[in-house]
Amino acid sequence: MSTATVPAARRTKRTSWGSVLSTFGILLIVIYCLAPFYWMIVSSLRPDTEIFDNSWWPKHPSLENYQAVFSSTNNFTQGLINSLIVSVIVTVVALAIATFASYALARLDFRGKGFLLVIVLATSMFPLVAIIVPLLKNFSAWGWINTYQAMVIPDLSFSLPLAVWNLTSFFRQMPQELEQSAMVDGCTPGQAFRKVILPLAAPGIFTTAIIIFIGAWNEFLVAVTMINDPTMQPATVLLSKFTGASQFNTPFGSQMAAGVIMTLPLVVMVLLFQRRIVAGLAAGGVKQ
């Protein structure tokens, strides 16, 4: 065997071992992330008599917990509708405002732009607990308790900074020659933005929309503070108020079933649009 063959064989062996270790590490991360969700599914299929059983699969699988979730006393179907309404409104409004704001911040040069971006980022860092009491006082005075705007506006105050920051970074990566070429061909600045920039920015906008939707869907503190009408409460609040047959009986199975129902739309959405999400994250991180 020649001396040149030995280093090549060693490099091949190192590469194979590195590939095995990388695959093993990724597999461990996947198991760590999915194990709680798997246990939630298994617990949701256990009858009450087996709820504390530690087996990997229920001995007598049952859908009684899912039937209990959608019973008329829980209003969970209405809670899912409320969560969907709030999440969609927050996502659409946040994207509509953030798209124009972030494009202006990325393309226009004006005094104080860096400071403005810092303020936008700092706004999202305020702890919600610190401002929930002033919000409750104002909303009570305005008669907004038990209304959708009482949930939408606080959610927007945290979704907008995130959306503006993400999309500003994304628009900065897009060369200005795109708009210039479109205007040379006869487009106005508005037409260049609408016909050229927006289609190219779709992956970044779509990724930001997914992040905003997930945040609004999982929001709990604002809803439980502002909404006390069961018909207006989102699913997250209703889930926390599930009760058993008595005060000493906690319906773990029904809570797990409700958790599965709330998580499935997000899992399906991410699986269906994973390519767009990855494309948006990658496009925003590559310098043009």
Side-chain angles (χ1 to χ4, degrees):
M1 181 182 295
S2 64
T3 57
T5 308
V6 175
R10 289 178 178 174
R11 285 196 299 269
T12 302
K13 188 174 181 179
R14 290 174 186 170
T15 303
S16 61
W17 273 108
S19 177
V20 170
L21 290 176
S22 298
T23 304
F24 182 72
I26 293 173
L27 183 62
L28 284 179
I29 294 174
V30 171
I31 293 175
Y32 177 79
C33 294
L34 293 183
F37 185 63
Y38 169 78
W39 195 253
M40 186 165 60
I41 294 175
V42 170
S43 299
S44 69
L45 295 174
R46 297 185 193 276
D48 290 340
T49 55
E50 299 180 16
I51 194 62
F52 295 108
D53 191 0
N54 292 325
S55 60
W56 289 102
W57 189 254
K59 300 176 182 177
H60 305 91
S62 173
L63 297 177
E64 64 182 27
N65 292 319
Y66 290 91
Q67 296 172 355
V69 167
F70 289 106
S71 64
S72 57
T73 57
N74 289 327
N75 293 323
F76 195 71
T77 302
Q78 183 61 42
L80 291 174
I81 295 174
N82 293 334
S83 294
L84 182 62
I85 291 174
V86 172
S87 301
V88 170
I89 292 176
V90 170
T91 303
V92 171
V93 175
L95 280 183
I97 298 174
T99 300
F100 292 103
S102 58
Y103 182 73
L105 289 170
R107 287 294 190 258
L108 301 180
D109 291 324
F110 54 89
R111 183 177 299 178
K113 184 172 72 171
F115 178 74
L116 181 59
L117 281 173
V118 172
I119 293 297
V120 169
L121 184 61
T123 303
S124 64
M125 294 183 179
F126 279 101
L128 183 57
V129 177
I131 63 175
I132 195 68
V133 173
L135 285 175
L136 177 61
K137 183 178 179 180
N138 289 331
F139 290 173
S140 298
W142 299 342
W144 282 11
I145 301 300
N146 293 324
T147 60
Y148 286 122
Q149 59 264 31
M151 294 182 283
V152 169
I153 292 179
D155 288 353
L156 281 174
S157 65
F158 290 94
S159 299
L160 265 176
L162 175 64
V164 170
W165 188 266
N166 285 346
L167 291 178
T168 298
S169 302
F170 186 82
F171 282 126
R172 278 179 175 174
Q173 311 305 323
M174 303 179 68
Q176 296 188 10
E177 288 79 6
L178 294 172
E179 297 102 309
Q180 295 172 357
S181 300
M183 288 186 283
V184 168
D185 291 336
C187 290
T188 64
Q191 290 174 334
F193 173 72
R194 187 176 70 254
K195 296 181 178 180
V196 177
I197 299 302
L198 279 184
L200 293 176
I205 295 175
F206 196 87
T207 303
T208 305
I210 294 290
I211 296 173
I212 294 173
F213 185 89
I214 292 175
W217 180 267
N218 292 328
E219 201 285 320
F220 173 78
L221 184 58
V222 171
V224 76
T225 305
M226 305 298 174
I227 310 298
N228 51 48
D229 183 359
T231 61
M232 289 292 299
Q233 289 174 338
T236 51
V237 176
L238 292 176
L239 174 58
S240 68
K241 295 185 176 182
F242 276 6
T243 58
S246 69
Q247 60 178 337
F248 304 106
N249 180 21
T250 303
F252 294 111
S254 299
Q255 290 176 347
M256 292 297 174
V260 171
I261 294 169
M262 287 193 61
T263 308
L264 273 180
L266 303 181
V267 174
V268 172
M269 184 169 56
V270 171
L271 291 177
L272 289 177
F273 303 112
Q274 58 179 328
R275 291 187 178 181
R276 286 183 174 270
I277 296 173
V278 173
L281 293 174
V286 178
K287 187 174 182 179
Q288 302 288 340

PDB file of all heavy atoms in Angstrom, residues 20 27 38 42 70 75 80 82 92 109 117 140 149 161 178 185-186 188 215 240 258 278 283:
ATOM      1  N   VAL A  20     -21.442   9.124  11.644  1.00  0.00           N
ATOM      2  CA  VAL A  20     -22.184   8.299  12.598  1.00  0.00           C
ATOM      3  C   VAL A  20     -22.484   9.089  13.867  1.00  0.00           C
ATOM      4  O   VAL A  20     -23.609   9.065  14.387  1.00  0.00           O
ATOM      5  CB  VAL A  20     -21.388   7.021  12.926  1.00  0.00           C
ATOM      6  CG1 VAL A  20     -22.030   6.277  14.100  1.00  0.00           C
ATOM      7  CG2 VAL A  20     -21.317   6.116  11.709  1.00  0.00           C
ATOM      8  N   LEU A  27     -30.287  12.170  16.321  1.00  0.00           N
ATOM      9  CA  LEU A  27     -31.319  11.239  16.783  1.00  0.00           C
ATOM     10  C   LEU A  27     -31.633  11.465  18.259  1.00  0.00           C
ATOM     11  O   LEU A  27     -32.811  11.450  18.666  1.00  0.00           O
ATOM     12  CB  LEU A  27     -30.851   9.804  16.553  1.00  0.00           C
ATOM     13  CG  LEU A  27     -31.850   8.693  16.910  1.00  0.00           C
ATOM     14  CD1 LEU A  27     -33.102   8.817  16.049  1.00  0.00           C
ATOM     15  CD2 LEU A  27     -31.216   7.320  16.716  1.00  0.00           C
ATOM     16  N   TYR A  38     -44.893  12.301  22.631  1.00  0.00           N
ATOM     17  CA  TYR A  38     -45.308  10.894  22.552  1.00  0.00           C
ATOM     18  C   TYR A  38     -45.993  10.475  23.844  1.00  0.00           C
ATOM     19  O   TYR A  38     -47.039   9.812  23.817  1.00  0.00           O
ATOM     20  CB  TYR A  38     -44.095  10.011  22.275  1.00  0.00           C
ATOM     21  CG  TYR A  38     -44.384   8.530  22.441  1.00  0.00           C
ATOM     22  CD1 TYR A  38     -45.063   7.826  21.452  1.00  0.00           C
ATOM     23  CD2 TYR A  38     -43.994   7.847  23.597  1.00  0.00           C
ATOM     24  CE1 TYR A  38     -45.351   6.475  21.606  1.00  0.00           C
ATOM     25  CE2 TYR A  38     -44.273   6.507  23.756  1.00  0.00           C
ATOM     26  CZ  TYR A  38     -44.951   5.823  22.755  1.00  0.00           C
ATOM     27  OH  TYR A  38     -45.233   4.495  22.921  1.00  0.00           O
ATOM     28  N   VAL A  42     -49.793   9.035  24.442  1.00  0.00           N
ATOM     29  CA  VAL A  42     -50.061   7.770  25.132  1.00  0.00           C
ATOM     30  C   VAL A  42     -50.972   8.003  26.338  1.00  0.00           C
ATOM     31  O   VAL A  42     -51.928   7.242  26.570  1.00  0.00           O
ATOM     32  CB  VAL A  42     -48.732   7.108  25.564  1.00  0.00           C
ATOM     33  CG1 VAL A  42     -48.998   5.925  26.479  1.00  0.00           C
ATOM     34  CG2 VAL A  42     -47.935   6.665  24.345  1.00  0.00           C
ATOM     35  N   PHE A  70     -64.470  17.261  24.192  1.00  0.00           N
ATOM     36  CA  PHE A  70     -65.462  17.930  23.352  1.00  0.00           C
ATOM     37  C   PHE A  70     -66.878  17.830  23.919  1.00  0.00           C
ATOM     38  O   PHE A  70     -67.838  18.041  23.184  1.00  0.00           O
ATOM     39  CB  PHE A  70     -65.433  17.341  21.938  1.00  0.00           C
ATOM     40  CG  PHE A  70     -64.191  17.714  21.177  1.00  0.00           C
ATOM     41  CD1 PHE A  70     -63.185  16.783  20.955  1.00  0.00           C
ATOM     42  CD2 PHE A  70     -64.039  19.004  20.680  1.00  0.00           C
ATOM     43  CE1 PHE A  70     -62.043  17.130  20.255  1.00  0.00           C
ATOM     44  CE2 PHE A  70     -62.896  19.349  19.988  1.00  0.00           C
ATOM     45  CZ  PHE A  70     -61.891  18.418  19.768  1.00  0.00           C
ATOM     46  N   ASN A  75     -66.830  23.548  26.410  1.00  0.00           N
ATOM     47  CA  ASN A  75     -66.775  24.613  25.398  1.00  0.00           C
ATOM     48  C   ASN A  75     -65.440  24.627  24.661  1.00  0.00           C
ATOM     49  O   ASN A  75     -64.978  25.681  24.211  1.00  0.00           O
ATOM     50  CB  ASN A  75     -66.993  25.995  26.039  1.00  0.00           C
ATOM     51  CG  ASN A  75     -68.396  26.169  26.577  1.00  0.00           C
ATOM     52  OD1 ASN A  75     -69.364  25.699  25.980  1.00  0.00           O
ATOM     53  ND2 ASN A  75     -68.511  26.832  27.719  1.00  0.00           N
ATOM     54  N   LEU A  80     -61.229  26.570  20.667  1.00  0.00           N
ATOM     55  CA  LEU A  80     -60.355  26.433  19.497  1.00  0.00           C
ATOM     56  C   LEU A  80     -60.675  27.493  18.450  1.00  0.00           C
ATOM     57  O   LEU A  80     -59.778  28.061  17.816  1.00  0.00           O
ATOM     58  CB  LEU A  80     -60.503  25.031  18.908  1.00  0.00           C
ATOM     59  CG  LEU A  80     -59.953  23.864  19.733  1.00  0.00           C
ATOM     60  CD1 LEU A  80     -60.309  22.541  19.075  1.00  0.00           C
ATOM     61  CD2 LEU A  80     -58.441  23.989  19.898  1.00  0.00           C
ATOM     62  N   ASN A  82     -61.966  30.462  19.039  1.00  0.00           N
ATOM     63  CA  ASN A  82     -61.460  31.738  19.558  1.00  0.00           C
ATOM     64  C   ASN A  82     -59.949  31.850  19.378  1.00  0.00           C
ATOM     65  O   ASN A  82     -59.433  32.910  18.997  1.00  0.00           O
ATOM     66  CB  ASN A  82     -61.823  31.874  21.042  1.00  0.00           C
ATOM     67  CG  ASN A  82     -63.313  32.003  21.271  1.00  0.00           C
ATOM     68  OD1 ASN A  82     -64.049  32.466  20.401  1.00  0.00           O
ATOM     69  ND2 ASN A  82     -63.774  31.578  22.439  1.00  0.00           N
ATOM     70  N   VAL A  92     -52.052  38.341  10.588  1.00  0.00           N
ATOM     71  CA  VAL A  92     -52.298  39.172   9.404  1.00  0.00           C
ATOM     72  C   VAL A  92     -51.943  40.627   9.682  1.00  0.00           C
ATOM     73  O   VAL A  92     -51.245  41.282   8.883  1.00  0.00           O
ATOM     74  CB  VAL A  92     -53.775  39.038   8.969  1.00  0.00           C
ATOM     75  CG1 VAL A  92     -54.095  40.056   7.874  1.00  0.00           C
ATOM     76  CG2 VAL A  92     -54.057  37.630   8.471  1.00  0.00           C
ATOM     77  N   ASP A 109     -32.471  55.674   4.375  1.00  0.00           N
ATOM     78  CA  ASP A 109     -31.440  56.170   5.284  1.00  0.00           C
ATOM     79  C   ASP A 109     -31.934  57.449   5.943  1.00  0.00           C
ATOM     80  O   ASP A 109     -32.212  58.438   5.270  1.00  0.00           O
ATOM     81  CB  ASP A 109     -30.137  56.449   4.520  1.00  0.00           C
ATOM     82  CG  ASP A 109     -29.470  55.172   4.025  1.00  0.00           C
ATOM     83  OD1 ASP A 109     -29.548  54.162   4.747  1.00  0.00           O
ATOM     84  OD2 ASP A 109     -28.896  55.197   2.921  1.00  0.00           O
ATOM     85  N   LEU A 117     -34.372  50.902  15.637  1.00  0.00           N
ATOM     86  CA  LEU A 117     -34.345  49.435  15.653  1.00  0.00           C
ATOM     87  C   LEU A 117     -34.082  48.901  17.061  1.00  0.00           C
ATOM     88  O   LEU A 117     -34.649  47.877  17.464  1.00  0.00           O
ATOM     89  CB  LEU A 117     -33.271  48.932  14.690  1.00  0.00           C
ATOM     90  CG  LEU A 117     -33.644  48.918  13.206  1.00  0.00           C
ATOM     91  CD1 LEU A 117     -32.432  48.571  12.361  1.00  0.00           C
ATOM     92  CD2 LEU A 117     -34.771  47.937  12.946  1.00  0.00           C
ATOM     93  N   SER A 140     -60.364  47.717  31.221  1.00  0.00           N
ATOM     94  CA  SER A 140     -61.593  47.780  32.021  1.00  0.00           C
ATOM     95  C   SER A 140     -62.265  49.136  31.858  1.00  0.00           C
ATOM     96  O   SER A 140     -63.500  49.220  31.752  1.00  0.00           O
ATOM     97  CB  SER A 140     -61.272  47.517  33.496  1.00  0.00           C
ATOM     98  OG  SER A 140     -60.733  46.223  33.685  1.00  0.00           O
ATOM     99  N   GLN A 149     -60.320  42.247  20.932  1.00  0.00           N
ATOM    100  CA  GLN A 149     -59.240  43.229  20.903  1.00  0.00           C
ATOM    101  C   GLN A 149     -58.425  43.224  22.195  1.00  0.00           C
ATOM    102  O   GLN A 149     -57.249  43.603  22.181  1.00  0.00           O
ATOM    103  CB  GLN A 149     -59.774  44.637  20.628  1.00  0.00           C
ATOM    104  CG  GLN A 149     -60.783  45.161  21.632  1.00  0.00           C
ATOM    105  CD  GLN A 149     -62.202  44.945  21.164  1.00  0.00           C
ATOM    106  OE1 GLN A 149     -62.490  43.971  20.463  1.00  0.00           O
ATOM    107  NE2 GLN A 149     -63.099  45.853  21.530  1.00  0.00           N
ATOM    108  N   PRO A 161     -42.656  43.751  17.119  1.00  0.00           N
ATOM    109  CA  PRO A 161     -41.200  43.934  17.160  1.00  0.00           C
ATOM    110  C   PRO A 161     -40.430  42.759  16.589  1.00  0.00           C
ATOM    111  O   PRO A 161     -39.446  42.939  15.864  1.00  0.00           O
ATOM    112  CB  PRO A 161     -40.915  44.130  18.656  1.00  0.00           C
ATOM    113  CG  PRO A 161     -42.187  44.629  19.219  1.00  0.00           C
ATOM    114  CD  PRO A 161     -43.272  43.946  18.439  1.00  0.00           C
ATOM    115  N   LEU A 178     -32.486  45.133  -7.574  1.00  0.00           N
ATOM    116  CA  LEU A 178     -33.752  44.542  -7.993  1.00  0.00           C
ATOM    117  C   LEU A 178     -34.792  45.626  -8.248  1.00  0.00           C
ATOM    118  O   LEU A 178     -35.449  45.639  -9.294  1.00  0.00           O
ATOM    119  CB  LEU A 178     -34.256  43.570  -6.920  1.00  0.00           C
ATOM    120  CG  LEU A 178     -33.409  42.313  -6.691  1.00  0.00           C
ATOM    121  CD1 LEU A 178     -33.927  41.552  -5.476  1.00  0.00           C
ATOM    122  CD2 LEU A 178     -33.423  41.430  -7.928  1.00  0.00           C
ATOM    123  N   ASP A 185     -37.348  49.383 -16.094  1.00  0.00           N
ATOM    124  CA  ASP A 185     -38.307  48.776 -17.026  1.00  0.00           C
ATOM    125  C   ASP A 185     -39.670  49.452 -16.991  1.00  0.00           C
ATOM    126  O   ASP A 185     -40.603  48.997 -17.674  1.00  0.00           O
ATOM    127  CB  ASP A 185     -38.480  47.286 -16.704  1.00  0.00           C
ATOM    128  CG  ASP A 185     -37.224  46.496 -17.026  1.00  0.00           C
ATOM    129  OD1 ASP A 185     -36.440  46.963 -17.875  1.00  0.00           O
ATOM    130  OD2 ASP A 185     -37.023  45.427 -16.428  1.00  0.00           O
ATOM    131  N   GLY A 186     -39.816  50.498 -16.175  1.00  0.00           N
ATOM    132  CA  GLY A 186     -41.055  51.268 -16.188  1.00  0.00           C
ATOM    133  C   GLY A 186     -41.920  51.140 -14.958  1.00  0.00           C
ATOM    134  O   GLY A 186     -43.015  51.712 -14.910  1.00  0.00           O
ATOM    135  N   THR A 188     -43.120  51.809 -11.119  1.00  0.00           N
ATOM    136  CA  THR A 188     -42.999  52.790 -10.048  1.00  0.00           C
ATOM    137  C   THR A 188     -42.386  52.105  -8.829  1.00  0.00           C
ATOM    138  O   THR A 188     -42.325  50.870  -8.775  1.00  0.00           O
ATOM    139  CB  THR A 188     -44.375  53.362  -9.691  1.00  0.00           C
ATOM    140  OG1 THR A 188     -45.191  52.307  -9.173  1.00  0.00           O
ATOM    141  CG2 THR A 188     -45.051  53.974 -10.919  1.00  0.00           C
ATOM    142  N   GLY A 215     -46.840  31.814  18.397  1.00  0.00           N
ATOM    143  CA  GLY A 215     -46.841  32.599  19.623  1.00  0.00           C
ATOM    144  C   GLY A 215     -48.231  33.020  20.046  1.00  0.00           C
ATOM    145  O   GLY A 215     -48.585  32.953  21.233  1.00  0.00           O
ATOM    146  N   SER A 240     -56.644  24.960  31.014  1.00  0.00           N
ATOM    147  CA  SER A 240     -56.193  25.094  32.405  1.00  0.00           C
ATOM    148  C   SER A 240     -57.331  24.953  33.397  1.00  0.00           C
ATOM    149  O   SER A 240     -57.089  24.773  34.592  1.00  0.00           O
ATOM    150  CB  SER A 240     -55.527  26.459  32.601  1.00  0.00           C
ATOM    151  OG  SER A 240     -56.479  27.519  32.501  1.00  0.00           O
ATOM    152  N   ALA A 258     -56.565  17.225  25.335  1.00  0.00           N
ATOM    153  CA  ALA A 258     -56.698  18.607  24.881  1.00  0.00           C
ATOM    154  C   ALA A 258     -55.355  19.160  24.424  1.00  0.00           C
ATOM    155  O   ALA A 258     -55.278  19.914  23.435  1.00  0.00           O
ATOM    156  CB  ALA A 258     -57.279  19.474  26.000  1.00  0.00           C
ATOM    157  N   VAL A 278     -37.536  26.567   6.294  1.00  0.00           N
ATOM    158  CA  VAL A 278     -36.088  26.448   6.198  1.00  0.00           C
ATOM    159  C   VAL A 278     -35.534  27.412   5.149  1.00  0.00           C
ATOM    160  O   VAL A 278     -34.498  28.057   5.345  1.00  0.00           O
ATOM    161  CB  VAL A 278     -35.676  24.998   5.873  1.00  0.00           C
ATOM    162  CG1 VAL A 278     -34.195  24.893   5.603  1.00  0.00           C
ATOM    163  CG2 VAL A 278     -36.082  24.070   7.006  1.00  0.00           C
ATOM    164  N   ALA A 283     -32.501  32.017   3.778  1.00  0.00           N
ATOM    165  CA  ALA A 283     -32.378  33.198   2.917  1.00  0.00           C
ATOM    166  C   ALA A 283     -32.077  34.439   3.737  1.00  0.00           C
ATOM    167  O   ALA A 283     -31.357  35.336   3.298  1.00  0.00           O
ATOM    168  CB  ALA A 283     -33.671  33.400   2.128  1.00  0.00           C
TER     169      ALA A 283
END
